Amino acid sequence: MLGFCAYLSLNLQTEFNILVMDNKVDYWLEMSDYDFETAKAMLATQRYLYVGFMCHQVIEKALKAYWSNVLEEPPLKIHTLSRLAEKSGLDKFMSESQLDFIDELEPLNIEARYPSYKERFMKSLSDARCNELILKTDELRLWIKKLL
């Protein structure tokens, strides 16, 4: 009887692991979609610093969804978009303009978090720039989703 319980436990664990792997991609995509809606809400309320921060989060989570889809190991617990793209192999499929855009988003994660950067950085985030960030973020996240 103990052998059967161990067998059942192993099979359930295997099925659970497969389900969890599938759900990791869905989890990252759902979080990316949620953050995209948040970025648009921040734009509507003219909270420009957080538009940039959320756009970074959208792409970070889309990259982690891609990573979870193509690699067995969990995504690195990092926020560097270029490194996530490189380590997952996605950078090899990205256009020069997409790579440039993730470089443009990179500082938005750090500078939104630290007060010493906020004031200086807020001056560079206009309504027009934030609208452009939203559009480019949407294009990149949808492109990544098509690859999944």
Side-chain angles (χ1 to χ4, degrees):
M1 185 68 173
L2 183 60
F4 176 73
C5 289
Y7 169 80
L8 182 60
S9 175
L10 180 61
N11 281 336
L12 288 175
Q13 184 63 41
T14 301
E15 288 180 30
F16 176 75
N17 286 342
I18 291 169
L19 182 62
V20 167
M21 284 305 288
D22 290 342
N23 284 339
K24 285 181 183 177
V25 173
D26 291 340
Y27 165 79
W28 288 117
L29 288 177
E30 287 173 15
M31 293 303 297
S32 178
D33 291 345
Y34 184 88
D35 288 348
F36 185 67
E37 292 303 316
T38 302
K40 291 191 302 186
M42 294 296 99
L43 180 62
T45 57
Q46 300 178 342
R47 298 181 64 95
Y48 300 133
L49 182 65
Y50 295 101
V51 171
F53 177 76
M54 294 312 299
C55 285
H56 180 283
Q57 293 295 298
V58 168
I59 299 305
E60 178 182 329
K61 291 169 184 168
L63 289 169
K64 289 181 177 182
Y66 181 82
W67 178 304
S68 297
N69 193 54
V70 299
L71 299 173
E72 288 185 27
E73 71 223 32
L76 295 175
K77 294 180 180 179
I78 60 172
H79 308 291
T80 312
L81 303 180
S82 56
R83 189 148 181 239
L84 288 168
E86 177 190 339
K87 293 289 188 183
S88 68
L90 184 61
D91 64 326
K92 291 171 181 50
F93 304 106
M94 296 175 79
S95 69
E96 195 65 38
S97 64
Q98 289 171 325
L99 291 169
D100 288 345
F101 181 61
I102 64 171
D103 287 342
E104 182 182 341
L105 286 178
E106 203 72 66
L108 300 177
N109 181 55
I110 296 168
E111 294 181 10
R113 292 179 186 226
Y114 299 102
S116 60
Y117 293 105
K118 280 185 182 181
E119 191 172 318
R120 177 176 44 127
F121 198 66
M122 283 175 60
K123 293 176 184 175
S124 71
L125 289 172
S126 64
D127 188 71
R129 179 152 186 243
C130 286
N131 272 294
E132 182 182 350
L133 286 174
I134 292 281
L135 288 173
K136 287 182 175 181
T137 297
D138 196 28
E139 288 173 7
L140 184 55
R141 81 181 179 98
L142 293 175
W143 180 79
I144 293 170
K145 286 173 90 167
K146 284 182 186 177
L147 298 177
L148 302 176

